Amino acid sequence: MIKEKIYYSKPYLDNSDLNSLKNVFKSNFLTQGPKINEFEKKISQFVNSKHSTCFNSATSALHAACFSLGFKKNDILWTVPNSFVASANCARYLGGKVDFIDIDQITKNIDIDLLSKKLIKVKKNLPKIVVTVDFGGNPVLQDKIYKLSKKYKFKIVEDASHALGAKYKNYMVGCCKWCDITIFSLHPVKTITTGEGGIATTNDKKIDRILKMFRTHGITKDNLYFKNKINNLKDWYFEQHFLGFNYRMTDLAAALGINQLKKIKIILKKRNAIAKYYDKCLKGLPLQLPKLSPKSLSTYHLYPIQIIKKNSNILQLKLYNFLKKRGIITNVHYLPIHLHPYYRQQGFKEKQFPVSELHADSSLSLPIYPDLSFKKVKYIVNSIKDFFSKN
Ligand SMILES: *Cc1c(COP(=O)(O)O)cnc(C)c1O
């Protein structure tokens, strides 16, 4: 029996992170200092994008992304039910409508066949934006979505909240080869953290300018874009062009992000090693294990196992409680977005997206994080084997 509880995720923090915060503290630039720029440059170098914009969360980055793509009242956004609510809420902030495409049973990412069928079927009510989600850090087959976006003229926001450091066909997620904007989350459960935080990457200069204005009230300080006629431009002058928000990241958070990014290779290596071990040890049990997209590298933000057996929903709860008694705290990703009361109010019902619903009713995300020791991983594996020898 292990004394300390094992949770499904844990940030990878050490003294170097603490020191990065101390240095900002001493500089007195708690926010809007030089660290934001530095972090944005480093993220762009890492994912190979032209531009990056930091936000105080991925949720605000998603809101800004939709705004920057011209998404307006009554426009339509499609995403998957198997995600965190923020992937859909970004449309609602702007008065838009949300609809869903179910996931495929194998990768748990958007079902591309269903997407193309729905695009053919809806004729007029085409989406303005499709938000794809790299579930658990496993990249979506973004090139295929991109092809459809050209035919049906929608924009793509890749919600890569789980996937900083992931690769698809040798392209870094975030390089925006097959999407307009990529979003990363820096919440403490994600690959690297800034406390709260998010990033949007893009290769489009104009989109990037709107993203940066949106995070700071819709304000620009760049005289290239000023609209008022002014003869004597004063240093302190600035203009607000549209209604933005205060969605800025602090310099403290950015400094932490810069330090965390230095460790991302080791973080990914460790997560992948744990996943490989789970893959090997859990084979042969009545479980569907995570299945990677071809030619991709996953961040393994999550390691969800799906029980493939009769009465899987009963077994799900039983296994959850069995593991909890042993100090292993698993979780479910995700309660389908369309079944939250807020979305039911908009007409969504049970059985509408059966693959996502079954996944929610039969899966558990196992603990996976960089400093989860192999001793603990073995303990988790043995506990699961123990459970299935009795059930
Ligand atoms: C975590 C997460 C978000 C929201 O991220 P925040 O930084 O907490 O706002 C959005 N989408 C997905 C898929 C997530 O997992």
Side-chain angles (χ1 to χ4, degrees), residues 57-59 62 83-84 86-87 133 159 161-162 185 187 190 197 334:
S57 70
T59 303
L62 281 162
S83 185
F84 185 55
S87 307
V133 179
D159 182 348
S161 286
H162 302 177
S185 171
H187 182 278
K190 311 291 162 76
Y334 283 95

Side-chain angles (χ1 to χ4, degrees), residues 26-263:
K26 285 182 204 151
S27 81
N28 288 323
F29 278 110
L30 298 191
T31 191
Q32 291 174 285
K35 290 293 171 191
I36 294 292
N37 256 327
E38 189 185 332
F39 188 36
E40 287 174 346
K41 282 213 181 90
K42 296 225 152 111
I43 288 288
S44 277
Q45 278 167 9
F46 179 62
V47 303
N48 205 7
S49 71
K50 284 200 180 124
H51 311 280
S52 300
T53 304
C54 295
F55 289 86
N56 57 6
S57 70
T59 303
S60 30
L62 281 162
H63 183 188
C66 291
F67 178 86
S68 74
L69 295 172
F71 192 86
K72 285 193 275 302
K73 198 173 171 198
N74 295 326
D75 282 342
I76 299 166
L77 178 146
W78 290 359
T79 189
V80 283
N82 183 40
S83 185
F84 185 55
V85 290
S87 307
N89 287 348
C90 50
R92 301 293 303 144
Y93 297 137
L94 295 160
K97 293 177 194 156
V98 175
D99 204 351
F100 300 95
I101 308 290
D102 211 348
I103 54 171
D104 83 66
Q105 168 56 24
I106 305 295
T107 65
K108 310 289 159 59
N109 279 334
I110 188 166
D111 185 326
I112 297 174
D113 282 339
L114 283 182
L115 172 64
S116 25
K117 279 183 194 141
K118 188 160 172 138
L119 285 165
I120 293 165
K121 203 174 113 197
V122 295
K123 290 194 187 93
K124 263 192 184 159
N125 293 321
L126 285 165
K128 178 144 188 173
I129 295 178
V130 172
V131 175
T132 59
V133 179
D134 303 310
F135 179 66
N138 181 28
V140 169
L141 310 183
Q142 208 65 39
D143 49 346
K144 297 197 174 160
I145 312 273
Y146 183 75
K147 254 193 195 156
L148 291 170
S149 78
K150 290 295 145 200
K151 187 163 173 199
Y152 294 96
K153 310 224 174 327
F154 57 83
K155 304 282 185 192
I156 308 170
V157 175
E158 182 171 4
D159 182 348
S161 286
H162 302 177
L164 182 61
K167 277 187 204 173
Y168 174 55
K169 291 192 169 172
N170 272 328
Y171 288 93
M172 291 298 292
V173 168
C175 76
C176 299
K177 185 173 171 65
W178 298 297
C179 68
D180 296 279
I181 302 172
T182 304
I183 306 296
F184 298 107
S185 171
L186 303 165
H187 182 278
V189 298
K190 311 291 162 76
T191 346
I192 66 166
T193 187
T194 57
E196 296 281 0
I199 313 166
T201 63
T202 184
N203 293 325
D204 186 310
K205 195 176 164 195
K206 196 173 153 212
I207 289 175
D208 185 62
R209 194 164 70 80
I210 300 171
L211 290 171
K212 289 199 163 73
M213 285 173 75
F214 193 79
R215 86 172 157 193
T216 186
H217 312 276
I219 284 171
T220 180
K221 290 179 179 169
D222 188 340
N223 59 15
L224 273 179
Y225 302 105
F226 287 162
K227 292 183 174 177
N228 285 338
K229 279 219 171 72
I230 315 148
N231 297 325
N232 272 318
L233 206 57
K234 314 281 193 322
D235 275 0
W236 58 78
Y237 187 75
F238 64 86
E239 289 183 355
Q240 182 195 346
H241 289 180
F242 53 79
L243 193 61
F245 291 78
N246 179 352
Y247 276 169
R248 293 186 301 265
M249 179 181 276
T250 66
D251 250 41
L252 282 164
L256 180 55
I258 292 165
N259 198 64
Q260 286 264 300
L261 191 60
K262 287 183 192 157
K263 298 189 279 187

